[in-house]
Amino acid sequence: CKLTTSILAGGAMASRAVAVMMMMARLATGLEVSGWQLSRQQALRAFPAAVAASVVAPSSAGAYQGIYGMEIISASDAVLDEEALQTSQVKAALKDLKVLYESVKSLRAAIATDAQYDVSSVIRKEFEVTRVRNTFNALNPVFDKETQKGTDRLQRGIIQDLVEIDAGAQVAPGKTRSPKKLAIVNEKLLKLETTFQKLDEYFAKA
């Protein structure tokens, strides 16, 4: 029956999560796992993705389609809290979201013109993590908890992308950005722009 299937699926997911957590705990101490010797720093960088992968469950029939296959409310079906939309905090955050979105577009245009463009400096100045997180937090009261399952994942994805772009775009003094590295940065920037677009779509009715 459906209940039994759900319980079994939940148990399997939990077991998978525990196994990954145990493995990452060993990695974090620099122990050898399956013939690989990783440093503590490498292990910690790998930890978020490993844990996320371990807790993803397949979406059920009829669920709204969302990233990672989770059941979330789509942007077109999102219902906004009109009272929250009228607060000064939400209005300011909405403007800042638009600014951030446009900044990503400008950054992509800049590196398309100049392959050696200082991407990291822009990321650190215009997309400072605390600022971005505060903007997202100010927007959350607009949605109910079910809708936030979708927006929260988009927000976390954006923050992760910003960290990865900053690290990947850096070039050693006296060196130039290789075509391979440029392609990776461009790919990540495109992904970032796409995620900002998806998040912005949740506020189309605002």
Side-chain angles (χ1 to χ4, degrees):
C1 66
K2 291 184 179 180
L3 178 59
T4 302
T5 301
S6 298
I7 292 174
L8 290 174
M13 183 174 64
S15 298
R16 193 160 60 246
V18 170
V20 173
M21 291 289 285
M22 290 176 66
M23 181 187 75
M24 295 311 299
R26 295 178 64 192
L27 286 174
T29 60
L31 296 179
E32 186 175 354
V33 178
S34 299
W36 289 88
Q37 183 71 29
L38 277 75
S39 68
R40 178 181 176 83
Q41 184 178 16
Q42 290 172 314
L44 293 176
R45 282 202 301 268
F47 181 80
V51 173
S54 72
V55 298
V56 173
S59 59
S60 60
Y64 291 108
Q65 183 176 356
I67 57 175
Y68 308 130
M70 302 294 285
E71 284 188 48
I72 61 172
I73 304 300
S74 65
S76 60
D77 293 311
V79 177
L80 284 65
D81 186 323
E82 293 297 330
E83 185 175 345
L85 283 172
Q86 299 308 313
T87 65
S88 58
Q89 293 89 341
V90 170
K91 288 181 178 180
L94 278 172
K95 289 181 180 179
D96 199 37
L97 179 64
K98 300 290 185 183
V99 170
L100 291 169
Y101 184 19
E102 291 302 319
S103 293
V104 177
K105 295 179 182 179
S106 297
L107 188 53
R108 285 193 64 213
I111 199 171
T113 303
D114 179 8
Q116 306 307 319
Y117 189 77
D118 192 353
V119 175
S120 291
S121 292
V122 176
I123 292 292
R124 294 174 186 178
K125 180 180 179 181
E126 299 185 19
F127 298 90
E128 198 274 323
V129 173
T130 301
R131 170 200 174 183
V132 175
R133 186 178 289 113
N134 287 342
T135 296
F136 291 163
N137 288 342
L139 291 171
N140 287 337
V142 172
F143 302 113
D144 60 22
K145 291 183 179 180
E146 289 303 308
T147 305
Q148 285 185 34
K149 290 180 181 179
T151 57
D152 285 351
R153 284 171 178 79
L154 291 172
Q155 291 166 4
R156 287 198 295 270
I158 286 172
I159 292 175
Q160 171 108 19
D161 288 342
L162 289 172
V163 173
E164 292 180 358
I165 291 170
D166 181 17
Q170 293 182 34
V171 180
K175 302 291 185 179
T176 58
R177 186 175 288 120
S178 67
K180 180 179 180 180
K181 197 165 189 176
L182 176 63
I184 293 174
V185 173
N186 275 322
E187 181 180 356
K188 289 185 178 296
L189 284 172
L190 175 59
K191 180 173 177 285
L192 179 64
E193 181 181 337
T194 300
T195 309
F196 261 112
Q197 179 183 357
K198 289 180 179 179
L199 181 60
D200 187 61
E201 288 173 355
Y202 274 87
F203 300 94
K205 302 173 186 177

